[in-house]
Amino acid sequence: MHRPLRPRIVPLTTFASLDLHPGLLKAIKELGFARPTPIQTDAIPHAMAGRDVLACAQTGSGKTAAFLLPILHKLIDRPRGTIRALVVTPTRELAAQILEDLEDLAVHTPVTGASVFGGVGMGPQERAFRSGVDVMIATPGRLLDHLKAPYASLDKVEYLVLDEADRMLDMGFLPEIKKILRYVPTKRQTLFFSATMPGPILALTRDMLQNPASINLERQSTPATGITQAVYPVAQELKASLFLTLLQRGEMEEALVFTRTKHRADRLFKFLVKNGITAERIHGNRSQPQRTQALAGFKNGTYRVLVATDIVARGIDITELGHVVNFDVPMAPADYVHRIGRTARAAATGDAFTFVSREEEGELRDIEKVIGRRLPRVTIPDFDYSAKADTQLEVPIAERIAAIRKQKAEERARAKAKADRKAAGGGSPAPSRPARPASHGGSGTTAGSKPGSSQRRRRRGPGGGGGGGRPGGTPSK
Ligand code: ADP
Ligand code: MG
């Protein structure tokens, strides 16, 4: 099936054999982790021994515990009160997720953590700096905002983690990372994680790491095993109804579905809701409370479908999620691997369906090249593949331009009529004309979407960006 991997003799490693603190072993047990994943087996001994680590591992391989466990182990018996470990990660969701993992793993230890990311107030995060939590988990932009203030210092950082480095590169965070490095002591231990190693990332590792232990490089871009991948060839304008059909026929109970643009995410979301499917959406234009709420609601089953754009594709950790649907073919093959990594994390298995229109065939072939095999094509019986679309997720560009032109012409005409009226001394009414002709018909698409009309603020968990102090108390599982 997959490109043959070099056979690996894996000695049977247990968490106990990694010499971790008993408090950590207890938490690991409570989390139900039977044994370390390969990346954990490989990385933890090096990290425990104080070496820098450069790890290239696919999504869902268990990287978070691979860096948190050795750091927690080293921080347990230390005096508290200064930030000793810094984890830099690309998105708010990842920061919140890592803090949750930390809280679970550190529950029987005195180690504290807090997260710092944009979209929420600076105040509680400032407190985390002032109280000096042990582990700070941050997105680059917001961290730099804090670093401008006198209360924020990273002078005492001994452990630095870069999580999803390639993602940060994609998001344009490389300059921020370099700036952050100026605030962190050069004498430190660095753990560096990236799913892929493009040139700029490799260069960054040379700047940041000293004689690192390199791990797992040979498996960089094959998806997690256990995923059943299939391609659904379908005309662009029929994608929404194909998706709806799959849901209605029970082909998938719940699904995380990725669209190419925010606009398409919004339209698909509305289409689903209109057709009686519980759904939410998560993308760059949504506020942090909205994102948190959507993700929590999807996790707890309130929503069957979570529509997302690529920006949030990594790091959403939904245990035993059944299905990922690529509503559009991801532009970059690496994105495909990351997205479908959302399923089949660690032990669970899941399906990944990709909808492919004729125009996207080329991109699909690139993906197949990267994963080293041809994906099976699936057509579903009784679906009318030649139907005329009743839903269009985007107004064709020509139509959109025509509509804008028409509107502008009308505005000009109205302005002129008004001016004429004024010139005529306001006496006689202007010749009557339709105030606003019926809008362009057809697709039912209007520009702009109503912001957060159904904003239910039922939030738990990471929210608020974490204040200082011992988080949580009891483990949430
Ligand atoms: P990555 O950062 O590599 O994408 P995560 O660290 O988020 O992956 O881990 C993916 C999932 O696997 C999480 O739900 C995590 O709780 C779980 N997990 C991590 N380590 C183990 C383990 N040793 N055994 C079982 N599940 C694990
Ligand atoms: Mg991760």
Side-chain angles (χ1 to χ4, degrees), residues 63-64 94 163-164:
K63 291 188 287 287
T64 314
L94 274 169
D163 184 35
E164 311 251 1

Side-chain angles (χ1 to χ4, degrees), residues 15 32-37 40 58-65 101 164 317 319 342 345-346:
F15 279 112
F33 294 180
R35 58 172 40 89
T37 64
Q40 291 161 6
Q58 64 213 30
T59 306
S61 53
K63 291 188 287 287
T64 314
D101 291 349
E164 311 251 1
D317 174 27
T319 315
R342 301 271 66 80
R345 301 178 68 89

Side-chain angles (χ1 to χ4, degrees), residues 190-270:
T190 307
L191 310 176
F192 193 109
F193 293 84
S194 192
T196 57
M197 284 289 157
I201 292 299
L202 213 56
L204 187 65
T205 65
R206 289 198 198 102
D207 287 350
M208 288 183 63
L209 300 170
Q210 284 173 9
N211 181 30
S214 288
I215 291 168
N216 225 9
L217 287 156
E218 80 273 20
R219 286 191 298 178
Q220 43 175 305
S221 47
T222 43
T225 50
I227 300 173
T228 313
Q229 301 167 63
V231 165
Y232 286 74
V234 60
Q236 191 60 256
E237 64 275 15
L238 290 175
K239 284 182 171 180
S241 44
L242 178 66
F243 184 52
L244 181 65
T245 305
L246 290 171
L247 287 166
Q248 285 169 341
R249 291 190 187 175
E251 293 280 334
M252 44 187 130
E253 198 36 55
E254 80 289 304
L256 176 59
V257 54
F258 291 104
T259 63
R260 206 179 46 221
T261 64
K262 295 171 202 168
H263 186 67
R264 285 170 71 77
D266 281 335
R267 304 221 64 84
L268 177 60
F269 160 76
K270 283 179 192 160

